[in-house]
């Protein structure tokens, strides 16, 4: 079987592509749109767009509060999405799912509430060198507020966490370990269950930044031992502005609230306010209801394709792209871990990644060029930035070929 036929045998990516209205357009004067920036945000299938529109056309009403039919429907959509996420991530209970804006807000919530309650001066928080800024800055803010110390587990030249060093950095002082499941700039899939087990053995809680995991393979928050797990559905064909924090119920229940306001209370008087139980305690204000409708449709969409088929499809693309890019003169791939998702970061001798990105854009190829909000990773590999291609369900080998052809054009400009 040819490689092209093999890709189509696990997922019919051309049929999948036709589900995405945005991918039907041409760009830059008639060029086929080759969208390879899925790690930043994915395009949306018709089913998700329709679910958002249907919510506005039929079900929009005040969630949780109203006594009329539209409000009941809005509440059913919103709470239905919560249940769907709980099943998707294999949480024990839907009350363990807090609906927020996304991964950044989820990690900030944990740092602010769990962190300020449980972390004292001299305690330690352990992260890794491959974290997104969203999983660095909230911990630095917590350390500033409490006098705790941030420790960083180094990564190897291949872009894998140095597990021995990680283990050595754990001690009775470690109160929190927070690590990325999948690196957005390197593509590395971390041995997160093993890291959780080590964190727990040291008596720390384990927070998993799952932004780049859930779109690509089956996630089971219980199996990986996550105490908290952050999720951004806009990277998984869902709407932006909605996301989730999974937290073990006992932990959520013992945490103080984050934002104050409507819905998060049990009773308010000027003398004393008592708070609602989780997840309501962390959901002040009118939430993103239409986003919840779209998010539920996105989960249905990936489950209908089959998450294992998605994984297999992206692995084939990753291999095809890695082999093809390795043959490009002067190109070096940054991130060569044994286990990766469909993310390829690279640098091209003598050409700044921003120039690579701009020239590729002229050919209709959308990639990300920059530090990908992982400046310490750039420092680790001694590069100012990388060009990153990241794959999704609708990408094909033709897309990879377009990338490689675009790179030949870059080379011509800079020769
Ligand atoms: N963590 C990881 C690993 C990420 O890749 C991102 C976003 C975030 C956290 C933040 O997610 P948000 O939904 O709250 O924004 N990563 C990227 C990226 O790679 N390019 O643009 C955003």
């Amino acid at each position: 079987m040819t490689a092209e036929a093999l890709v189509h045998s696990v997922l019919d990516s051309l049929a999948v592509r036709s589900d995405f209205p945005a991918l039907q357009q041409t760009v830059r004067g008639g060029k086929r749109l080759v969208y390879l920036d899925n790690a930043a945000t994915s395009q949306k299938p018709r089913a998700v767009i329709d679910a958002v529109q249907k919510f506005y056309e039929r079900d929009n009403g005040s969630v949780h509060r109203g006594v009329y039919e539209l409000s009941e429907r809005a509440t059913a959509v919103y709470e239905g999405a919560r249940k769907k996420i709980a099943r998707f991530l294999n949480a024990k209970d839907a009350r363990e799912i807090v609906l927020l804006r996304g991964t950044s807000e989820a990690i900030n919530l944990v740092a602010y509430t769990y962190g300020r309650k449980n972390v004292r001066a001299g305690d330690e928080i352990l992260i890794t060198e491959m974290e997104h800024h969203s999983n660095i800055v909230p911990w630095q803010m917590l350390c500033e507020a409490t006098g705790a110390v941030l420790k960083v587990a180094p990564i190897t030249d291949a872009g894998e966490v140095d597990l021995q060093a990680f283990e050595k950095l754990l001690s009775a002082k470690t109160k929190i370990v927070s690590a990325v499941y999948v690196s957005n700039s390197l593509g590395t899939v971390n041995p997160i269950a093993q890291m959780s087990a080590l964190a727990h053995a040291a008596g720390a809680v384990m927070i998993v930044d799952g932004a780049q995991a859930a779109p690509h393979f089956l996630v089971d928050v219980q199996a990986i031992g996550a105490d908290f797990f952050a999720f951004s559905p806009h990277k998984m064909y869902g709407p932006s502005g909605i996301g989730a924090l999974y937290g073990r119920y006992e932990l959520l229940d013992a945490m103080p609230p984050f934002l104050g306001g409507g819905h998060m209370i049990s009773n308010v008087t000027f003398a004393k306010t008592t708070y609602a139980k989780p997840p309501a305690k962390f959901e002040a204000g009118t939430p993103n209801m239409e986003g919840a409708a779209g998010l539920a449709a996105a989960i249905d969409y990936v489950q209908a394709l089959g998450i294992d088929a998605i994984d297999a499809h992206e692995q084939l693309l990753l291999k095809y792209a890695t082999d093809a890019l390795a043959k490009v003169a002067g190109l070096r791939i940054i991130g060569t871990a044994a286990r990766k998702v469909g993310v390829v970061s690279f640098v091209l001798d003598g050409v700044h990644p921003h120039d690579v990105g701009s020239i590729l854009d002229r050919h209709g190829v959308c990639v990300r060029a920059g530090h990908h909000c992982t400046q310490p990773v750039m420092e680790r590999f001694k590069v100012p930035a990388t060009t990153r291609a990241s794959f999704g369900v609708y990408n094909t080998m033709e897309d990879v070929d377009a990338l490689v052809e675009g790179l030949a054009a870059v080379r011509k400009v800079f020769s």
Side-chain angles (χ1 to χ4, degrees), residues 181-195:
Y181 201 156
V182 175
S183 158
N184 66 316
S185 52
L186 300 168
T188 311
V189 180
N190 281 320
I192 208 78
Q194 202 181 342
M195 291 162 75

Side-chain angles (χ1 to χ4, degrees), residues 319-381:
K319 174 150 186 12
Y320 184 71
T322 305
D323 292 348
L325 290 171
K327 292 189 193 119
V328 174
L331 186 146
R332 177 161 67 102
I333 291 177
I334 306 290
T336 51
R339 202 169 157 228
K340 286 179 65 173
V341 297
V343 168
V344 190
S345 261
F346 58 88
V347 288
L348 204 54
D349 265 359
V351 192
H352 194 280
H354 285 131
D355 293 327
V356 175
S358 301
I359 296 170
L360 289 175
D361 169 57
R362 286 187 220 152
H363 295 261
V365 179
C366 314
V367 293
R368 178 89 187 263
H371 53 60
H372 319 293
C373 299
T374 57
Q375 282 185 319
V377 171
M378 301 300 117
E379 202 168 299
R380 167 67 177 79
F381 287 94

Side-chain angles (χ1 to χ4, degrees), residues 34-151:
V34 177
Y35 189 77
L36 297 177
D37 198 15
N38 295 285
T41 196
S42 62
Q43 298 301 335
K44 318 305 170 195
R46 171 60 65 201
V48 168
I49 299 166
D50 285 350
V52 174
Q53 184 169 342
K54 184 176 139 220
F55 181 84
Y56 278 132
E57 287 178 352
R58 287 192 11 190
D59 302 326
N60 182 52
S62 183
V63 72
H64 297 137
R65 293 181 196 124
V67 289
Y68 49 89
E69 181 174 336
L70 263 57
S71 170
E72 277 173 14
R73 275 198 235 144
T75 306
V77 166
Y78 193 69
E79 293 304 323
R82 190 192 310 282
K83 286 188 191 127
K84 199 158 269 187
I85 298 169
R87 282 195 299 272
F88 184 63
L89 299 178
N90 195 31
K92 251 192 249 162
D93 192 316
R95 292 174 306 162
E96 297 182 312
I97 304 298
V98 182
L99 290 170
L100 303 164
R101 281 185 297 149
T103 299
S104 302
E105 191 178 7
I107 296 173
N108 275 276
L109 186 155
V110 178
Y112 198 86
T113 63
Y114 182 89
R116 285 181 187 227
K117 182 157 184 206
N118 294 291
V119 172
R120 301 276 164 273
D123 287 345
E124 292 177 0
I125 296 160
L126 177 60
I127 60 172
T128 80
E129 203 177 2
M130 68 169 83
E131 300 309 319
H132 186 278
H133 296 167
S134 290
N135 200 26
I136 300 173
V137 184
W139 304 117
Q140 290 176 321
M141 290 160 69
L142 177 63
C143 288
E144 264 176 45
T146 60
V149 180
L150 189 65
K151 297 280 176 176

Side-chain angles (χ1 to χ4, degrees), residues 88-91 181 192 217-226 229 246:
F88 184 63
L89 299 178
N90 195 31
Y181 201 156
I192 208 78
F217 54 80
L218 198 66
V219 169
D220 181 331
V221 288
Q222 296 186 66
I224 61 174
F229 181 93
Y246 157 81

Side-chain angles (χ1 to χ4, degrees), residues 20-32:
F20 290 76
L23 298 178
Q24 308 315 312
Q25 65 188 307
T26 54
V27 290
R28 298 293 185 220
K31 300 277 174 354
R32 176 176 177 272

